[in-house]
Amino acid sequence: KMAFELGLEPSEAMWMQMGTPPKWGAHTPAADERFHVELKLTDPKSKTRIPYANITFVASNTDTGKSLSIVLPPMWGSSGLHYSENSALLGDGTYRATVTVDTPTFQRELKDKNLWPQPVRANFHFKLKDGKLVEVSQPAS
């Protein structure tokens, strides 16, 4: 009852809060931030994007055995509301990734009180070669 669309794009500059205490500013991607990990969550019934969710992207490079975990904060861009972060990922190789969406924190009408009452997970497989996405496949059961 939740549609996931995961995108890996070239990294991009973002207007975001940085530092302690957080202050708004332009974040220019660092040299190693090659990818923009982007997730769009949609309610298939109403066709609207799902806000107020805490999202974690965990990826393992199965060729190297290394893993990383990224929290994807909400972002507004040309495609509307989505969750994203720039990342170096873990170099070329085959990846197994899991996206976890915690229960959204927005209020609901009573008839919708049981929408997404538990965290939701989706698994993805992809391959990077020469720093580019070259393959996306269905995860094994």
Side-chain angles (χ1 to χ4, degrees), residues 4 6 62 94-98 121-127 133-141:
F4 287 63
L6 178 65
T62 60
T94 302
Y95 285 79
R96 295 178 64 114
T98 300
R121 288 180 183 78
N123 296 310
F124 298 89
H125 285 197
F126 59 93
K127 186 173 186 176
L133 183 65
V134 295
E135 180 183 314
V136 178
S137 60
Q138 290 284 356
S141 300

Side-chain angles (χ1 to χ4, degrees), residues 30 64 97 100 102 136-137 139:
T64 65
T100 302
D102 289 336
V136 178
S137 60

